Structure formats: structure tokens, C-alpha cells
Amino acid sequence: MTRTLCSELPAAHAAGNSSATVEGWIHRRRQLSGVTFVIVRDRSGVAQVVATESAVREQISWLPEETVVRVAGGVIANGKAPGGIEIIDPVITPLGPPAAVPPVELWRPALKATLPTVLDHAALTWRHPARRAVWQIAAASMAGFRQHLDSAGFTEVTTPKIVEQSAESGANVFTLDYFGAPAYLAQSPQLYKQMLTGVFERVYEVGPVFRAEPHDTARHLAEYVSLDVEFGFIADHRDVLSVLRDTLAAMLERVRATAGTAVESIGAQLPSVPEQIPVLHFTEALEVVGAPPEEPDLAPEHERALGKWALREFGSDFLAVEGYPAAKRPFYTHPQPTDPRWTNSFDLLFRGLELVTGGQRLHNHADYLHALTTRGEDPARYTAYLEAMSGGMPPHGGFAIGLERWVSRLVEVDNIRWSTLFPRDLHRLSP
Amino acid sequence: MTRTLCSELPAAHAAGNSSATVEGWIHRRRQLSGVTFVIVRDRSGVAQVVATESAVREQISWLPEETVVRVAGGVIANGKAPGGIEIIDPVITPLGPPAAVPPVELWRPALKATLPTVLDHAALTWRHPARRAVWQIAAASMAGFRQHLDSAGFTEVTTPKIVEQSAESGANVFTLDYFGAPAYLAQSPQLYKQMLTGVFERVYEVGPVFRAEPHDTARHLAEYVSLDVEFGFIADHRDVLSVLRDTLAAMLERVRATAGTAVESIGAQLPSVPEQIPVLHFTEALEVVGAPPEEPDLAPEHERALGKWALREFGSDFLAVEGYPAAKRPFYTHPQPTDPRWTNSFDLLFRGLELVTGGQRLHNHADYLHALTTRGEDPARYTAYLEAMSGGMPPHGGFAIGLERWVSRLVEVDNIRWSTLFPRDLHRLSP
């Protein structure tokens, strides 16, 4: 008998089917005096099964929650059941042995466990519908990211994660034994995506990046998913911000379209992306938060204050801060043409948290040599990169979105680990 | 003035535009007695620019190949120009300094350089249209993979690449310093994708995998892109092969749809995927190639012979060999129910090369304990994985396609490095 997904039962019933077979996990059993209710969960949702025969009720008593079963039965309307449909007179076939009792009760509407417990048992706790909804939003975000960029003439690339040199600095890099020689895990695809802009003009990559973060914070991971974009033939960083704006809007559109049920089920409030994301210069941002003008960076509390300010002033969950001081930006950052103390780079704050870093890059070989030597870096460490830069590069720029941060702010959890399938940090290397 | 892509010029001309601005790289200059031709290359293709004014001809003589330029001019029909259109009376604005002479002449129809030279200068040599076409086929393949699986109810996942234990064996694993403790680079997402099948039923991942391959062969890399699939509620490995078949067909469909020009430009012959991929049992495969029945595996020459045989017997570029000996398969492999010397696993050969490994996995906790202890492995090394297996897992299976191998066989190059943006192997860690 063909399997029907739980979510398809109403349509199957409406189409005149009087019976159906579902397959999934026993989410919850309830034994009443003359009837046993079983909620079956599959990838699409849940279905209610009603057993009245004593042999079947006895069978169910031996099938604990999370046991995998096939259930064939009659299909009838019941306004009180999920989807308005229930399965009656079930024939239940276990598809595996009775499941062990999970470390956390997965059938409860809210998962009652601390973060460490949830993470220790991630393979099981992600089964909880409220957890699964979070990842469905992540998956839809990635799909929306690619869909938009594909339609805008970008080419997907995959760049190496084992690298000879750390891309940006020697700090926070994982070291590897590469056939007896040292190598590093890529902190970002920055240098590669720039080189590939010389090939494809417009590139993106969705892939892991690695940071040996020595701090244990609620917003850093040792490994996360970076949504990277780089493209050529730009006027300046405002063109980059414009593509970022459209990309975020497309990601949200896809979340609404394919993870709308997930969003609703956890009560997440999706933002709307303004046609023009408000932009403040770094110097103005310092003024808004009342920080001294010589401050070299925005602290987390500044970002939170700016987030509130943008919401109040513009009704926007997003705020771009441009012109960050050159001293705080990597060597490839393009200076602000009117005043080279500042740069053509920006951070995008989302609900008061830095979500994206982006900007225009240098594209002339001579500027790179100058930038590297000024910082005391040896250009010989960047041979292939500098060869690309001397070989004809368009004015270009790009950005990177941290997937888990994005999802964390979307669903408003207080720790990025709630949005990561199997997080890695200073203290956690498993599961 | 708005930029027009080279490929859009014919439509712009047909729509009545008498002028246009293109931006791109100077691909080739040809100085004749009274006229200079410039071929400009952008992400979409090339356009011919014709200069007759002496000042402009002089300017062009100072702009070497690969210099990035903006060209504004009149647009007229010329049957001999690419796309039937050429740009006349050009105003040329360099968008950067004159480009250095590339190590390989990129304007020649065929790239004349050895593989080591091409790889040493990958950031430049990928600019060659015939190289770029190869990657466009790779990008379209990834897009087709995801598009099909998204439409079939799969959820995209991202699993950690830094792991506490090597997934399948201690061999060929890269070791890492993880905050002072040893860790490993994931050889595959196998254990994670299985655990997540317990959450989402159907999952896929496109991501890097790492193999410390001590051999220098034309078909192995130390880092490659794995297209991983895993799903539950299957009858056996034949269900896995069926999803694989449809996935490959969708990948080819997308290659045809969005990289058709690339395919044509390099004369690649795309295969068609039979409705039913022919299947041989391992024992039959040994007979076909005339190998002794006690042979434990198929050697590369056996695979090549089987590829020819499938083409001759079935007109198929694809052949599945099922039932591989249990001793040669990983511990999670489901035995063949009729004879446990064999397994419910398969390899898919594409044009005589192993492209995909797949099959049904064990799904009962007790079977895992038995499989691990029989092989002398300590179950304590698999705590989280075994917890998931005891927590209710459906019968499941999956497969993994190596992206670079797939593309290499599609475009029929003799070394996988031709299809890899920045390959990593025993001897190569840069660029």
C-alpha cells in the first residue's frame, strides 16, 4: 500500500479515499478507558490514530514513544484531530524494535531541558517539532540565498578548506597535519572568492568556515556555515549593500514560502527588509550611541543600542554601518576615497547583532603591495592571490552572512547553539 | 550608462538600441592596417569591438590582454562577429591598470599548458572559456541535485567537518589540533546524515570531505565535494538506487538547461540515464569480467570492462553493481537478507568508473552492536550514533556522489584535477 504523508491525509480524504497507510514515529500515546490515541509523526507533521480493539490497544502499550511504525487504517473526518482527520481501526506494523526511552520527553509541546542536555543528545532532541522547525528555517534560508543569486548571474563555487596560509591573520586558526607538513583550516573563502571573481565575475559559496575562537560566547562557534558572495564591476560598497538587501529579502521570501508552517509553529516574527536599508557612517553611529569619536570599533552594547535606534527611527530591523576605520579592517579593504582613515566597508546589524560584514575590496596589484607592506605582511605569502590581482581584476566587493547567526536572530534564541545542528566550540567536539 | 552583457547585445540591437556599454576583460586584440579588433570577454560570453580612429587604436595598443575595461559604442549587425553584432566607434575606459602578461595565453581556443602549470596558476587559467565551461557544468550539477531533492521532500543539512572520531576507520584521516586536543577532519557525513534521517526522514548535504590519500592517482583528491543523500522508510537498496537514478537525471537536466552553451562549447557528450539503470550482482559482475569468484573487490580494469559491457548490452553509460561482499563494506552496511555474505549495497559505475557508493544501512541498535564488536570496534566510540539507533530509526539508506569525479566523467578528462577549482593532494596545497 502506498504511503500517505500525515500532511496529505486531509487531501486524500477529500479525494474520497476511505483508507490510508502512514509511516512514522509514535510521537505520543494516550490510553483512556475504552480507547487509545496514538499521535504518529512523520517529516510532514502528525496524524491521530484511534484504536478501540483490545488486541491493538495491548500492542500499542508495548510500543513506546519514538518507535517507528507503519499504520494502515480507515480515514474519517474529526474536527478535533490534527488536520481534521483521524485514522481508525488501525493495523500497526512496527518497522523496528521498540525505541529506548529518550533522554528528553519529545512529545511535550515545549522541550524541557537545558542547552547542554539538548546538545549532548542532539540526534534525538532535533526530532522535537519546535527544534526541527528552527532547522527548516535554516534550510529554506540557504535555498533562498542560492535561488536569488542563481537568478542574478552568480556562479556557485567550492573552495578548499585546507589552506597553506591563513587568509587574514595568524590568530584563531586551526592547524592541521597535512602529509607531514603544517596546513590550516580556512577561516573564510575570502581570497578564493576574490580570485574567482576574476573568472566568473559573480560567485557565491555556502560552506563551512573554521575559527579557533578561544572565547566561550553565546554568538561564536568554532565551525559555522558561511554564505559568501563576491562580485565585480561595482561602483563601490553601496552596490554590495544593494545585492545584500535583495539576497536577504529573497531568503525571507523562501522561508515564508517553504517553511511558513515552521515559522508559525514556533511563533517566529519574520522581519521585512526595507527597500533601502538605512545606512549610518561609523562616525555617526558612534554619535548615536554616545561613544567617544576615537572609539575604534562598535561594542556589542553599541550594536544593541543601534538596533533599537534603527527600529525607532526607521521601523527597520536592519541597519548598515559603513566606513569602519581602516585600522580595524583586513588588508584587502578598499579605503573611503574621500578620506582614507575610513573604508568602503560595512557591517549589517540585524536586530542589534552584527550579522554580515561586507564591502569593496582593493583591485589594483600596487594597492595590495602597499597595503600588505604597510601592515608588515610579507607579499610572498600571497603569491597566487597577487598574481590574480596583477592579471586584471574588476572593481569588486562582497559579503558573508553567518547562517547560524541569521537563524538565531530570526527565531530570537539567546544562544547560537540553539540554531546549529551539531555545534563545535571550545568545550564541545561531539556529537 | 547601463551595462549590457555581451550575450545580451543581439537582443539589445533587435530591440532598436543603436548604442551600448559592455564591461569585461580584453580577451584578444588584432591590429590590422586600418582597423583594430578587440574581443571583450565577460561572464556571459564575448563581443567584438572595432576601432578605426587612430587615437583609440593607439590606446588599445597600451591595454594588454586581460586588462579590465568599459567599452561604450555604437551597435551594428555584422554576420561575421560573435552573436552577429559588433561595437563600433568605441570609447574605452580602463577599470584598472594594464594587466600583467598571463603565464598562459588565454585567448587561444585551446589552452596550451601542462596540468601542473594550469594548476599553479589556477586563478588565471580558469578564466579560459573552455576551463570555465567545465566549472559551469559542475555548478549546474549541484543546482540540479538540490532542486530535485528539495522537490522530493528532502531537507538540506550541514554537518560538522571537525569530528571527534573518524567515521569509518582510522586510515587516511587528517589530524587536527583542536584547542590542544586531537580531532579529525570528517571523511564523510555518513554518521551524521544517518542520525538526521531520524529527524527529517530525508536529508542531503553538499559539502567538503577530506581523505588523507597517500596515493597520487588521477582519480583521488585529499579534499573533494561530496553530494550526500540519506533517507528513511525504504524497502531495501533498490529504493536508494531509484532515488539516485532520478537525482542523476535531474542533474543532467539542469546541466542541459543552464549550462547548455558550456556543454556545446567543449563538445561534451551528455549521457542519458535509462529509466531503469541496469543492475548486476557482484558475483555476476565477476563472471562478466572473467575474474575468479573469490575476488573480494572490483579493480579499476574490471570497472572499465563492465562500463564497456553495459554500453554494449544495454546502451547505458551507467551500471549498478549490487551485493558487494560484507567484508569489504563498512560496519553500517545492511546484509543481503538471503545471504549475509553479501550486502544490500551497490556501486554505480559511470563510463567505467566508480562514481557513487550507496546502499541500505542497518537500523536496529542490536545489529550495530553486533557489527561493531564482530569487527573488533569499541561501541563506546559511537555513543551518540548508537543512542540515535536505539531511539527509533526507520529502515534507511543513501548514497554519495563525488562532484569532481562526476564532472570529470561528464567532460571526459583524464585527471580529476582538471575538474577541481583548487585541488588538494599529496603534493599540492596551493593555490
Side-chain angles (χ1 to χ4, degrees):
Chain A
M1 202 169 181
T2 316
R3 178 186 180 192
T4 302
L5 291 177
C6 293
S7 65
E8 296 169 341
L9 285 174
H13 181 256
N17 289 297
S18 58
S19 66
T21 300
V22 298
E23 294 178 346
W25 288 259
I26 293 184
H27 188 62
R28 179 62 171 148
R29 298 168 297 172
R30 270 196 311 145
Q31 304 258 18
L32 303 186
S33 64
V35 62
T36 298
F37 292 96
V38 177
I39 302 293
V40 172
R41 184 187 78 234
D42 68 14
R43 70 174 187 269
S44 74
V46 295
Q48 177 166 298
V49 178
V50 186
T52 49
E53 251 184 68
S54 61
V56 176
R57 299 184 65 204
E58 166 78 8
Q59 181 195 21
I60 293 168
S61 75
W62 293 102
L63 297 176
E65 273 73 16
E66 295 307 308
T67 300
V68 178
V69 292
R70 174 181 297 138
V71 180
V75 172
I76 62 164
N78 175 351
K80 290 180 194 161
I85 297 293
E86 66 185 9
I87 296 177
I88 56 168
D89 300 330
V91 175
I92 302 179
T93 313
L95 299 179
V101 178
V104 176
E105 285 173 320
L106 297 173
W107 56 266
R108 288 194 184 275
L111 197 59
K112 294 200 173 166
T114 62
L115 180 58
T117 300
V118 168
L119 299 183
D120 286 344
H121 306 282
L124 295 172
T125 52
W126 274 109
R127 294 184 183 184
H128 190 279
R131 299 284 295 136
R132 205 168 57 173
V134 171
W135 189 258
Q136 284 164 337
I137 291 170
S141 297
M142 289 190 277
F145 175 84
R146 295 194 195 96
Q147 186 178 28
H148 173 68
L149 294 167
D150 283 344
S151 74
F154 283 75
T155 300
E156 180 176 6
V157 297
T158 64
T159 67
K161 305 310 162 201
I162 303 179
V163 295
E164 190 175 30
Q165 303 286 356
S166 63
E168 314 196 9
S169 75
N172 300 357
V173 185
F174 288 112
T175 309
L176 188 74
D177 173 8
Y178 192 75
F179 301 113
Y184 306 94
L185 285 185
Q187 291 170 296
S188 89
Q190 181 64 34
L191 307 190
Y192 289 97
K193 69 178 181 172
Q194 286 187 256
M195 290 193 276
L196 291 169
T197 296
V199 176
F200 301 106
E201 283 188 32
R202 308 182 147 208
V203 298
Y204 71 85
E205 178 168 15
V206 176
V209 297
F210 306 91
R211 308 274 169 106
E213 291 286 349
H215 310 295
D216 202 359
T217 81
R219 62 181 191 167
H220 289 96
L221 295 168
E223 175 178 350
Y224 67 90
V225 176
S226 184
L227 309 178
D228 263 280
V229 167
E230 196 79 14
F231 61 106
F233 300 101
I234 64 172
D236 60 24
H237 63 293
R238 289 294 185 97
D239 285 347
V240 178
L241 186 58
S242 167
V243 167
L244 171 59
R245 185 260 158 224
D246 292 347
T247 304
L248 291 172
M251 289 164 70
L252 286 164
E253 191 48 53
R254 179 82 175 221
V255 169
R256 278 188 200 95
T258 65
T261 310
V263 169
E264 269 176 48
S265 74
I266 57 174
Q269 299 296 317
L270 298 188
S272 59
V273 189
E275 280 300 321
Q276 297 281 339
I277 289 178
V279 183
L280 271 185
H281 194 276
F282 182 78
T283 51
E284 298 169 310
L286 290 180
E287 277 174 38
V288 165
V289 300
E294 64 278 11
E295 197 78 25
D297 206 348
L298 294 175
E301 62 268 26
H302 295 149
E303 294 180 359
R304 281 190 293 272
L306 287 165
K308 283 181 191 152
W309 179 84
L311 195 59
R312 200 169 59 234
E313 294 289 319
F314 299 99
S316 172
D317 283 317
F318 298 93
L319 174 71
V321 178
E322 66 180 2
Y324 274 76
K328 295 301 273 186
R329 290 304 218 196
F331 69 87
Y332 49 76
T333 310
H334 197 290
Q336 180 177 313
T338 54
D339 185 341
R341 286 177 302 166
W342 314 111
T343 60
N344 273 2
S345 73
F346 62 82
D347 274 8
L348 183 78
L349 310 184
F350 172 37
R351 293 179 174 161
L353 182 72
E354 176 214 316
L355 173 69
V356 186
T357 295
Q360 183 181 2
R361 329 298 187 182
L362 300 174
H363 61 280
N364 289 351
H365 183 252
D367 293 339
Y368 274 99
L369 285 185
H370 180 255
L372 285 168
T373 50
T374 303
R375 288 165 188 253
E377 283 230 55
D378 182 2
R381 291 181 66 232
Y382 297 89
T383 310
Y385 181 69
L386 292 176
E387 186 184 61
M389 294 304 157
S390 72
M393 281 294 288
H396 65 280
F399 59 83
I401 307 172
L403 174 67
E404 297 85 348
R405 266 198 197 185
W406 161 251
V407 176
S408 295
R409 296 318 295 143
L410 272 188
V411 304
E412 302 189 72
V413 290
D414 61 6
N415 192 310
I416 194 168
R417 289 161 186 77
W418 288 110
S419 310
T420 309
L421 284 177
F422 298 97
R424 292 290 179 261
D425 63 32
L426 191 53
H427 304 295
R428 184 172 288 278
L429 181 55
S430 77
Chain B
M1 199 172 182
T2 316
R3 178 187 182 192
T4 302
L5 291 177
C6 293
S7 65
E8 296 169 342
L9 285 173
H13 181 257
N17 288 298
S18 58
S19 65
T21 300
V22 298
E23 294 178 345
W25 288 260
I26 294 185
H27 187 61
R28 178 62 171 147
R29 299 168 297 172
R30 269 194 313 145
Q31 303 260 15
L32 303 186
S33 64
V35 61
T36 297
F37 293 97
V38 177
I39 302 294
V40 173
R41 185 188 76 234
D42 69 12
R43 69 175 187 269
S44 74
V46 295
Q48 178 167 295
V49 177
V50 186
T52 50
E53 250 185 67
S54 61
V56 176
R57 298 184 65 203
E58 167 77 9
Q59 182 195 21
I60 293 168
S61 75
W62 294 103
L63 297 175
E65 273 74 16
E66 296 306 307
T67 301
V68 178
V69 292
R70 175 181 297 137
V71 180
V75 172
I76 62 164
N78 175 352
K80 290 179 194 160
I85 298 292
E86 66 185 9
I87 296 178
I88 56 168
D89 302 329
V91 175
I92 301 179
T93 312
L95 298 179
V101 178
V104 176
E105 286 173 320
L106 296 173
W107 56 267
R108 289 192 184 275
L111 196 59
K112 294 199 172 167
T114 61
L115 179 59
T117 300
V118 168
L119 299 183
D120 285 345
H121 306 282
L124 295 172
T125 52
W126 274 110
R127 294 184 183 185
H128 189 280
R131 299 283 297 136
R132 204 168 58 174
V134 170
W135 189 259
Q136 284 164 335
I137 292 169
S141 297
M142 288 190 279
F145 176 84
R146 294 193 195 95
Q147 187 178 25
H148 174 67
L149 295 168
D150 283 343
S151 73
F154 283 76
T155 299
E156 180 176 5
V157 298
T158 64
T159 67
K161 305 309 161 201
I162 303 179
V163 295
E164 190 175 31
Q165 302 286 354
S166 63
E168 314 196 10
S169 75
N172 301 356
V173 184
F174 287 112
T175 310
L176 188 75
D177 172 8
Y178 191 76
F179 301 112
Y184 306 93
L185 286 185
Q187 292 170 295
S188 90
Q190 181 65 35
L191 307 190
Y192 289 97
K193 69 178 181 171
Q194 286 188 256
M195 289 192 277
L196 291 168
T197 297
V199 176
F200 301 105
E201 283 189 31
R202 306 182 150 210
V203 299
Y204 70 86
E205 177 169 16
V206 176
V209 297
F210 307 91
R211 308 274 168 106
E213 290 286 349
H215 309 297
D216 202 359
T217 81
R219 62 180 193 169
H220 289 96
L221 295 167
E223 175 178 349
Y224 67 89
V225 176
S226 184
L227 309 177
D228 264 280
V229 167
E230 196 80 13
F231 61 106
F233 300 101
I234 64 173
D236 60 25
H237 62 293
R238 290 293 186 96
D239 285 347
V240 178
L241 186 58
S242 168
V243 167
L244 170 59
R245 186 259 157 224
D246 292 346
T247 304
L248 291 171
M251 290 165 69
L252 286 164
E253 192 47 53
R254 179 83 175 220
V255 169
R256 279 188 199 94
T258 66
T261 310
V263 169
E264 269 177 45
S265 74
I266 56 173
Q269 300 296 317
L270 299 187
S272 60
V273 189
E275 279 301 321
Q276 297 281 337
I277 290 179
V279 183
L280 272 185
H281 194 274
F282 182 78
T283 51
E284 297 169 312
L286 290 180
E287 277 173 39
V288 165
V289 300
E294 64 277 11
E295 198 77 25
D297 207 348
L298 294 175
E301 62 268 26
H302 295 150
E303 294 180 359
R304 281 191 293 273
L306 286 166
K308 283 180 191 153
W309 179 83
L311 196 59
R312 200 170 59 234
E313 295 288 319
F314 299 98
S316 172
D317 283 317
F318 298 92
L319 174 70
V321 178
E322 67 180 2
Y324 274 76
K328 295 300 273 185
R329 292 304 220 195
F331 70 87
Y332 48 76
T333 309
H334 197 290
Q336 181 178 312
T338 53
D339 184 343
R341 286 176 302 165
W342 314 111
T343 60
N344 273 2
S345 74
F346 62 82
D347 274 8
L348 183 78
L349 309 184
F350 173 37
R351 293 178 175 163
L353 183 72
E354 177 213 315
L355 173 70
V356 185
T357 295
Q360 183 181 2
R361 330 298 188 183
L362 300 174
H363 61 279
N364 290 350
H365 184 253
D367 293 338
Y368 275 99
L369 285 184
H370 180 256
L372 285 168
T373 49
T374 304
R375 287 165 188 251
E377 283 230 56
D378 182 3
R381 291 181 65 232
Y382 298 90
T383 309
Y385 180 70
L386 292 177
E387 186 184 62
M389 294 304 156
S390 72
M393 283 292 288
H396 65 281
F399 59 84
I401 307 171
L403 175 66
E404 297 86 348
R405 267 198 196 185
W406 161 251
V407 176
S408 295
R409 295 318 295 143
L410 271 188
V411 304
E412 302 190 73
V413 290
D414 60 5
N415 193 310
I416 194 168
R417 290 160 186 79
W418 288 109
S419 309
T420 309
L421 284 176
F422 298 98
R424 293 290 178 261
D425 62 32
L426 191 53
H427 305 295
R428 183 172 289 278
L429 181 54
S430 78

